[in-house]
Amino acid sequence: MNDFIAARSQMALSLGFHIIFSCIGMVMPFFMAVSHFYWLKTGNVLYKNVTKAWSKGVAIFFATGAVSGTVLSFELGLLWPEFMKHAGPIFGMPFSLEGTAFFIEAIALGFYLYGWNRFNKWFHWFTGVVVGVSGLLSGILVVAANAWMNNPKGFDFVNGKFSNIDPIKAMFNDAWFSQALHMCIAAFVATGFAVAGVHAFMILRKQNVLFHSKAFRIAAVFACVAALLQPLSGDISAKNVAKLQPSKLAAMEAVFHTEKGAPLIIGGIPNEQTQTVNDAIRLPKLLSYLAYGDLNATVKGLDSLPADERPPVSITHFSFQFMVALGMFLVLIAVLYFIIILKKRSWQEKRWLLKLFIIATPMGFLAVEAGWTVTEVGRQPWIIYGVMKTADAVTPMPGIVYSFYIFTCVYISLALIVIFMLYRQIKMVGQLYDIPQQENIA
């Protein structure tokens, strides 16, 4: 492994690790706020217990997300100094605003965790809402910075120099809205199904059934609503990619040759040497329609690009297909769950339904990881699309491969610690709170 691949691998590892905790940190406070609201309105102590249990999880993920996010910030400068030298002044605004949002989130979380029986009950609840809103805003701002890398705006690039910098235009580039929308909804899908799956597992084990049932329903509704919205945001995002990054679209859909009325490819194994896709299902003209709203629209293939500007096809295509497959599976669960709520309420107690949510527990996060793989690998070989190549931005410092190995060990250790802490927190629920042991789901 050379230093360039090691730098990219370390960045991928750091981002892949951080994105899980940032998603949970963005979404869990909203679950917590809803449960807290039910406690204030109904006086049902179970909702108070769920709120307190979730608040401890929020604290764990906030701390882990803060550490992993800080590491990412340092890595941008250490691994990609040439990129930060030119790009820092242009897209630094969303990062600085994200720091402000993070600051507000930290203060609000402190108020919330230590505000029980100290503040007015509605002010206390409001601080929890602030935690969620500021966390969501942090995520949107970071995605805006990434969107700039995919659609660089707010500057003139002449003779290798950046001039006439407009940070506002850079932050609100043409890609930020579609990326931010897709990412935020994905965070709710991933976190919702993960939380619902954990509580479904505890219900099946008949441990604190009433407690976990209340928590399961809140998380499941969030997850299923988001899952139904995600295909719509995905369509907006894909159309945006088709307009702004045709090379990424070509890699996502394994379009090797420019074609009018291009078919939508489902599955298939791309062969970059022969520029063909084997064993695929082809739906005539559907890609042209989905991308441009016209059955006969021309879709640019990879043959329209120089060989050294083509993104890796196989990994981008497989990641995209994997993400879509997982997303559609979660949509089916969402449709089934809402049918049960509206028409077959007695099925809410069925073991097969709980098992379905348990199976879905990791799927949202797997889809998120696949989606970020599409976003980052599909942009290659550019770190700033059409302006600066990734190979030109990497640090000249030798020995990056050893840094990659060290960080891999650190992240694995940190993941194991977090899993242990969460396991202990879930296991201790019955000891921390006075929760009725009931076998039925009430």
Side-chain angles (χ1 to χ4, degrees):
M1 181 186 295
N2 59 40
D3 286 335
F4 175 60
I5 298 299
R8 287 186 60 189
S9 299
Q10 181 173 324
M11 202 70 193
L13 174 70
S14 301
L15 179 60
F17 185 88
H18 176 68
I19 196 64
I20 295 175
F21 298 105
S22 61
C23 283
I24 298 172
M26 288 163 59
V27 173
M28 277 294 293
F30 289 101
F31 297 0
M32 179 182 74
V34 169
S35 179
H36 194 169
F37 180 81
Y38 284 156
W39 149 243
L40 293 178
K41 295 297 289 185
T42 67
N44 187 336
V45 71
L46 280 172
Y47 286 119
K48 180 181 180 181
N49 293 338
V50 170
T51 303
K52 286 194 170 184
W54 276 348
S55 69
K56 289 179 171 60
V58 168
I60 292 171
F61 285 111
F62 176 83
T64 311
V67 172
S68 58
T70 302
V71 170
L72 269 173
S73 299
F74 282 115
E75 285 181 338
L76 280 172
L78 293 173
L79 299 178
W80 313 103
E82 196 65 23
F83 166 70
M84 291 303 295
K85 173 184 175 182
H86 298 290
I90 304 173
F91 80 152
M93 179 172 286
F95 276 127
S96 62
L97 292 176
E98 190 274 337
T100 303
F102 176 80
F103 180 67
I104 294 172
E105 182 183 6
I107 293 174
L109 181 60
F111 280 176
Y112 190 82
L113 292 176
Y114 297 102
W116 290 96
N117 303 319
R118 292 182 175 88
F119 297 141
N120 172 276
K121 64 179 183 179
W122 286 107
F123 176 77
H124 183 221
W125 170 80
F126 176 72
T127 61
V129 175
V130 172
V131 173
V133 172
S134 56
L136 194 64
L137 183 60
S138 292
I140 292 172
L141 290 167
V142 170
V143 172
N146 179 266
W148 178 85
M149 297 166 68
N150 292 311
N151 180 239
K153 296 289 184 179
F155 64 94
D156 293 329
F157 186 66
V158 181
N159 298 325
K161 294 184 178 180
F162 296 79
S163 60
N164 298 326
I165 294 172
D166 184 347
I168 299 296
K169 188 176 181 180
M171 184 168 68
F172 295 108
N173 57 80
D174 294 338
W176 83 269
F177 175 76
S178 61
Q179 273 196 221
L181 178 66
H182 196 57
M183 182 64 237
C184 289
I185 296 176
F188 275 93
V189 174
T191 306
F193 276 105
V195 173
V198 169
H199 290 292
F201 178 74
M202 300 305 291
I203 294 170
L204 278 182
R205 295 186 63 181
K206 299 188 183 302
Q207 295 186 7
N208 305 317
V209 173
L210 193 55
F211 171 90
H212 289 291
S213 297
K214 299 294 187 185
F216 169 80
R217 287 175 184 170
I218 294 172
V221 169
F222 268 104
C224 292
V225 170
L228 294 178
L229 294 175
Q230 189 67 324
L232 300 177
S233 73
D235 180 66
I236 294 171
S237 185
K239 283 181 168 61
N240 194 267
V241 168
K243 177 183 176 182
L244 303 177
Q245 294 179 286
S247 61
K248 181 181 290 186
L249 178 70
M252 287 162 51
E253 301 290 353
V255 180
F256 287 101
H257 306 286
T258 301
E259 188 174 354
K260 184 178 181 180
L264 180 68
I265 295 176
I266 299 177
I269 302 174
N271 188 321
E272 297 188 49
Q273 277 66 46
T274 62
Q275 297 193 358
T276 57
V277 182
N278 302 317
D279 304 319
I281 299 172
R282 289 175 169 81
L283 304 179
K285 299 190 176 185
L286 190 55
L287 177 58
S288 290
Y289 180 76
L290 291 175
Y292 301 106
D294 181 357
L295 290 171
N296 296 309
T298 299
V299 177
K300 289 184 178 180
L302 293 166
D303 60 354
S304 65
L305 298 167
D308 63 344
E309 294 183 7
R310 298 175 186 176
V313 178
S314 295
I315 188 170
T316 307
H317 177 70
F318 288 139
S319 297
F320 179 70
Q321 295 283 311
F322 185 57
M323 177 188 68
V324 172
L326 290 173
M328 295 312 297
F329 181 75
L330 297 179
V331 166
L332 291 176
I333 294 178
V335 171
L336 176 62
Y337 186 68
F338 282 124
I339 290 174
I340 289 172
I341 289 178
L342 296 174
K343 300 292 185 180
K344 298 284 186 179
R345 297 185 67 87
S346 62
W347 287 10
Q348 293 182 78
E349 302 179 21
K350 298 295 184 181
R351 293 177 63 85
W352 60 263
L353 178 63
L354 297 173
K355 289 180 179 179
L356 199 58
F357 273 90
I358 293 171
I359 292 171
T361 299
M363 289 187 177
F365 285 114
L366 292 175
V368 167
E369 298 286 4
W372 273 104
T373 300
V374 172
T375 299
E376 297 303 294
V377 177
R379 189 180 62 243
Q380 299 305 314
W382 305 100
I383 192 168
I384 307 176
Y385 186 73
V387 176
M388 178 185 290
K389 290 190 174 181
T390 309
D392 297 330
V394 70
T395 178
M397 182 180 70
I400 298 299
V401 64
Y402 301 109
S403 172
F404 169 62
Y405 294 147
I406 292 172
F407 271 83
T408 300
C409 293
V410 170
Y411 279 129
I412 291 174
S413 301
L414 188 57
L416 292 175
I417 292 171
V418 171
I419 291 171
F420 169 75
M421 291 175 66
L422 291 175
Y423 172 77
R424 189 177 68 170
Q425 176 65 24
I426 294 170
K427 192 174 181 180
M428 291 175 62
V429 163
Q431 301 170 17
L432 291 172
Y433 311 113
D434 183 18
I435 299 174
Q437 301 292 320
Q438 297 188 22
E439 299 301 321
N440 65 304
I441 299 178

